[in-house]
Amino acid sequence: MNGYFPSIYASPVSTQYRMTLTVGEHSARHIRRIARMHLENWERQHLSDTVELALTELIANVIRHVPGSHCTVLLLKQQTGVRAEVTDAYGRLLPTPAKSDPESEGGRGLLLLDALVDKWGVSPTPGGGKTVWFEYGNSRTQGSNPL
């Protein structure tokens, strides 16, 4: 035998990816790269631009507002789309889109998230923290891009 293994012996592609980390200045770039790789493996690469941007906003909120910047990121393949969750142990500052001053430099991330994804929300976790999540691609046709 020459080492060839038919694809029926290949391991199945995982339908989820989870990582726990302390995020910092360059974390969003690495998380975007990981998300892009999984979306390609799941044949959801057409969702990549929006998912990457939405994840960047959630990670930026952890960096800005969560003491210690520790979180867990979860990506889940869904029937036609993807769900992403960012969980932290900081129960305060439950995110809501803010009405920001047009001159302010921040405060628009969740408004952007709301405009980009199909749905999003915040769920408290049993340990007193929260999970901010979004779903994208489940109600859109393949190939559409809101950007």
Side-chain angles (χ1 to χ4, degrees):
M1 253 297 138
N2 63 5
Y4 171 75
F5 294 97
S7 63
I8 60 169
Y9 296 114
S11 61
V13 175
S14 175
T15 59
Q16 67 175 346
Y17 176 78
R18 179 187 314 266
M19 67 180 145
T20 300
L21 68 161
T22 301
V23 291
E25 177 182 342
H26 301 289
S27 298
R29 176 181 54 179
H30 299 298
I31 293 168
R32 285 193 303 268
R33 188 177 306 141
I34 291 166
R36 186 179 321 120
M37 179 191 69
H38 284 284
L39 290 168
E40 287 174 8
N41 288 340
W42 297 336
E43 299 180 350
R44 306 278 189 276
Q45 57 270 24
H46 60 282
L47 306 176
S48 189
D49 289 342
T50 300
V51 170
E52 290 177 46
L53 181 55
L55 268 173
T56 298
E57 290 301 325
L58 297 186
I59 296 303
N61 283 343
V62 171
I63 293 169
R64 284 187 199 107
H65 302 295
V66 175
S69 299
H70 190 73
C71 68
T72 298
V73 176
L74 175 66
L75 299 172
L76 297 165
K77 178 184 176 186
Q78 295 185 317
Q79 187 169 1
T80 60
V82 66
R83 177 181 173 102
E85 299 179 358
V86 176
T87 302
D88 63 67
Y90 193 56
R92 294 177 56 205
L93 296 173
L94 292 178
T96 56
K99 294 179 183 173
S100 63
D101 179 347
E103 301 297 319
S104 70
E105 292 183 19
R108 294 178 188 82
L110 293 175
L111 291 171
L112 179 62
L113 182 70
D114 191 53
L116 288 173
V117 301
D118 298 327
K119 58 183 174 177
W120 71 277
V122 181
S123 306
T125 60
K130 65 184 170 301
T131 297
V132 184
W133 58 270
F134 68 84
E135 293 181 358
Y136 180 67
N138 294 316
S139 66
R140 300 181 188 277
T141 60
Q142 277 196 342
S144 68
N145 188 346
L147 297 177

